[in-house]
Amino acid sequence: MKTTRKNLLMLVLVFAMSMVLAACGGNNEPASSGNAVDAGGSNNGESDAAGGSENSGLAPYELKFAFPGTKQKDHDMVVEKINEYLKEKINATIDIQPIEWGQWDDKVNLMIASREPMDIYFTAQWSNYAVNVSKGAFMDLGDLLANTDAGKAIVNSLDSAFLEGSKIGGKNYGIPTNKELAASAGVVYRTDIAEELGLEMDSIKSVEDLGPILQKVKAEKPEMIPLFFREGENFNVHYFAEFDFLGDADVPGVILKDQDDTTIKPRYEFDRYLNNLKLAREFFQAGYINQDATTTTLSAQDALKAGNVFMTTASLKPGKDAELASATGLVGKLKQIELTGKTIATSETAGSMLAISTTSDDPERAMMFISLLHTDKYLNNLLNFGIEDVHYSRDGEIITPTEKAGDYALGSAWMLGNQFLNYVWDSEDPQKWEKFREFNEGGKPSPGLGFTFDAEPVKTQVAALVNVRKEFDAALDTGAVDPDDVLPNYINKLKAAGIDDVIAEKQRQFDEFLANK
């Protein structure tokens, strides 16, 4: 046990030191078009990711890239600018396909099942990563990472903890985003409404404390949704309940990442899961939660942007409220409240990744594009924030929105490459990236840090369990149904689909991982 704790502490120290380097990289001098810098600031010249601006010998190729998000009004304008640059860098163009959050899982499942041609998918531990690996949807990236300039540039730009912590069976099937390593959760709320109603937001220390606040919002602002919920945004999602799924969040069997117990159990055997179901039901029946929570396709960000939502749940980090404010047109009107401690788990190292599809006709070109997102400041900011002097103006690393900023507000920087290359909005803390480093200090390591479950031995059961969860999770987690009535049937169906087999296999692999640490 002492050895395990020592190893975990050493990992945290490594993470913290690497983030110091990464934060330094975020303070490089402004880059002109084509200038590339890695997270550690060690490459101040042209990017090696795609051979600089040399594309001789590369045939023209159109990449296809799918990720969850809302298509922006100026999408075509920005993509045209991206393609001008990609032609110069890697003789490629790209078809960027945002898919609405509420349709993401189902649409990607169909695309993968039909073997639709695709080059790059967004993926994550909480978004069918292990399940899709077991289906053969994503490439083993080991050779591309080790033996291409693009892959080597990614390896050099990333803390090794990201690549190690996101492996399945010792192999990388996704390239993690370079971002924060610690995680906490809470809520984001409208400060202007809170001030107008005289709400005592400092009284909120737990989810139970939200009741009186939401009650007053409902009474005084009947046109507003007091608390926005949807599948994937509620009290029982992995980041809020602090579940560590030890891999794909669609595969049952968890430990608690804020505790030390390494016994894997179904969620329904944890009190916090049951308590969260009951509280969600209470809030839903009281009218605090949007009544379409089970079926809405809006993301929490889009719900805030619509202007009639008071509060949402959120995975938090320094400045999350300011990021959301810029993306939703609510600058100065959002604030976050942290309701959990800070933890470090594989869900963070594998919490946001780009995978190369096994249907790609040019995997090496796909890797070149991903590498540019990790090393090329111009492309990274163009994709994330739009066109300089059209969607924002820039003074060094600080950017200010123009009147057209709302026409391209992707709000997806945490998905795309290297956040330490991102410019900082003038409404954000100019020391944002330094705060990210500080945020990681003192985070509690999950007992499962570095472990990712390989679902291959029980892939038949996993596929059946994913379907069962789709049938029940959204309605239960959003409070739309009574858990006393529905949960017993849910448990029975999980058992019939093989949950005990999956948990036993997950425990076997996890015990082996712990024994070898």
Side-chain angles (χ1 to χ4, degrees):
M1 187 67 177
K2 289 181 180 178
T3 302
T4 298
R5 290 182 179 275
K6 181 178 179 181
N7 288 341
L8 289 174
L9 289 172
M10 286 299 293
L11 273 172
V12 175
L13 289 173
V14 171
F15 294 163
M17 289 302 295
S18 67
M19 295 306 283
V20 172
L21 295 175
C24 292
N27 292 326
N28 282 288
E29 289 300 311
S32 62
S33 295
N35 193 34
V37 288
D38 67 24
S42 62
N43 179 9
N44 294 314
E46 292 295 321
S47 170
D48 289 332
S53 59
E54 294 294 328
N55 59 33
S56 59
L58 293 175
Y61 184 72
E62 183 184 55
L63 294 158
K64 293 181 174 62
F65 173 29
F67 68 95
T70 300
K71 188 172 183 177
Q72 302 298 298
K73 181 178 178 181
D74 283 352
H75 172 92
D76 292 342
M77 178 195 300
V78 174
V79 171
E80 181 179 359
K81 197 77 172 176
I82 289 171
N83 284 337
E84 289 176 5
Y85 189 64
L86 290 180
K87 286 177 185 177
E88 173 192 337
K89 299 294 289 184
I90 59 174
N91 202 21
T93 57
I94 191 163
D95 174 14
I96 298 176
Q97 302 176 19
I99 297 172
E100 292 290 344
W101 277 97
Q103 302 170 13
W104 172 252
D105 283 343
D106 288 341
K107 192 161 186 178
V108 169
N109 285 341
L110 288 173
M111 292 165 74
I112 288 172
S114 64
R115 301 291 294 168
E116 180 174 329
M118 182 60 59
D119 293 286
I120 302 166
Y121 283 109
F122 171 82
T123 189
Q125 184 192 40
W126 46 267
S127 185
N128 289 316
Y129 174 47
V131 172
N132 286 330
V133 167
S134 71
K135 291 178 180 178
F138 303 150
M139 284 188 62
D140 173 2
L141 303 177
D143 183 61
L144 288 172
L145 285 169
N147 299 314
T148 66
D149 288 340
K152 291 173 184 177
I154 290 172
V155 172
N156 289 336
S157 73
L158 271 175
D159 185 322
S160 60
F162 281 109
L163 289 170
E164 286 301 316
S166 57
K167 286 181 176 178
I168 294 180
K171 297 178 181 180
N172 288 108
Y173 296 92
I175 305 297
T177 304
N178 197 0
K179 61 184 187 65
E180 76 281 358
L181 277 167
S184 66
V187 294
V188 174
Y189 69 93
R190 289 277 298 271
T191 56
D192 55 334
I193 303 300
E195 290 167 7
E196 178 186 340
L197 301 182
L199 302 177
E200 296 182 5
M201 304 305 290
D202 289 343
S203 67
I204 298 174
K205 307 298 180 184
S206 69
V207 288
E208 289 79 10
D209 296 334
L210 296 174
I213 299 292
L214 300 175
Q215 182 181 36
K216 190 164 185 180
V217 173
K218 178 175 171 56
E220 300 292 330
K221 293 280 186 181
E223 74 281 5
M224 294 200 81
I225 296 168
L227 176 62
F228 178 80
F229 264 12
R230 65 179 299 275
E231 185 176 12
E233 299 288 345
N234 50 69
F235 296 148
N236 255 333
V237 292
H238 69 284
Y239 63 79
F240 209 107
E242 300 192 276
F243 294 132
D244 189 337
F245 280 86
L246 305 169
D248 198 314
D250 278 321
V251 180
V254 301
I255 60 171
L256 301 180
K257 59 182 181 176
D258 59 330
Q259 305 295 323
D260 296 322
D261 191 356
T262 59
T263 303
I264 300 170
K265 296 186 289 189
R267 286 183 303 164
Y268 54 77
E269 292 186 12
F270 289 95
D271 288 341
R272 69 179 61 174
Y273 173 74
L274 301 174
N275 291 339
N276 286 342
L277 290 183
K278 291 177 181 177
L279 188 64
R281 180 60 177 168
E282 177 186 324
F283 285 1
F284 189 91
Q285 288 185 304
Y288 304 158
I289 295 170
N290 48 303
Q291 297 299 290
D292 66 345
T294 301
T295 58
T296 182
T297 60
L298 283 179
S299 66
Q301 177 176 302
D302 288 338
L304 283 169
K305 192 173 185 177
N308 66 332
V309 167
F310 173 68
M311 179 182 290
T312 69
T313 56
S315 175
L316 298 181
K317 58 187 177 183
K320 177 64 174 281
D321 45 5
E323 276 188 9
L324 273 175
S326 294
T328 57
L330 294 170
V331 173
K333 296 181 180 180
L334 295 180
K335 189 173 181 180
Q336 62 192 51
I337 299 176
E338 196 170 271
L339 295 176
T340 70
K342 294 186 295 185
T343 55
I344 302 173
T346 308
S347 51
E348 280 65 64
T349 61
S352 175
M353 297 181 288
L354 297 181
I356 297 177
S357 172
T358 51
T359 63
S360 173
D361 288 330
D362 195 338
E364 187 166 349
R365 200 81 59 98
M367 182 66 84
M368 289 179 185
F369 175 75
I370 296 171
S371 187
L372 286 172
L373 291 182
H374 277 264
T375 60
D376 190 302
K377 195 161 197 167
Y378 173 76
L379 179 65
N380 182 292
N381 284 285
L382 177 59
L383 177 57
N384 279 303
F385 304 123
I387 302 169
E388 185 173 347
D389 296 328
V390 175
H391 301 106
Y392 64 87
S393 58
R394 179 165 68 90
D395 180 9
E397 298 295 295
I398 306 300
I399 57 177
T400 301
T402 66
E403 62 182 14
K404 281 184 64 63
D407 293 339
Y408 192 83
L410 202 58
S412 301
W414 59 276
M415 296 185 204
L416 304 172
N418 183 354
Q419 278 212 275
F420 295 95
L421 297 181
N422 293 169
Y423 296 135
V424 177
W425 289 108
D426 60 354
S427 57
E428 297 180 293
D429 188 336
Q431 299 300 314
K432 176 178 179 177
W433 302 123
E434 176 65 18
K435 295 289 179 65
F436 267 50
R437 181 190 66 79
E438 295 173 0
F439 177 66
N440 287 324
E441 296 176 356
K444 182 196 179 300
S446 167
L449 178 62
F451 173 77
T452 299
F453 175 57
D454 182 359
E456 178 65 27
V458 285
K459 62 182 180 182
T460 302
Q461 295 94 320
V462 165
L465 289 164
V466 168
N467 289 331
V468 175
R469 290 194 62 179
K470 283 183 178 180
E471 181 182 350
F472 289 93
D473 274 0
L476 278 167
D477 289 339
T478 60
V481 295
D482 187 339
D484 290 337
D485 294 336
V486 175
L487 189 58
N489 187 32
Y490 184 22
I491 294 172
N492 288 336
K493 286 197 172 185
L494 288 171
K495 286 186 173 295
I499 189 172
D500 293 335
D501 294 339
V502 171
I503 289 177
E505 176 60 22
K506 188 180 282 192
Q507 187 74 64
R508 184 194 68 76
Q509 292 183 25
F510 189 39
D511 288 344
E512 184 177 316
F513 165 81
L514 293 172
N516 291 328
K517 289 187 69 170

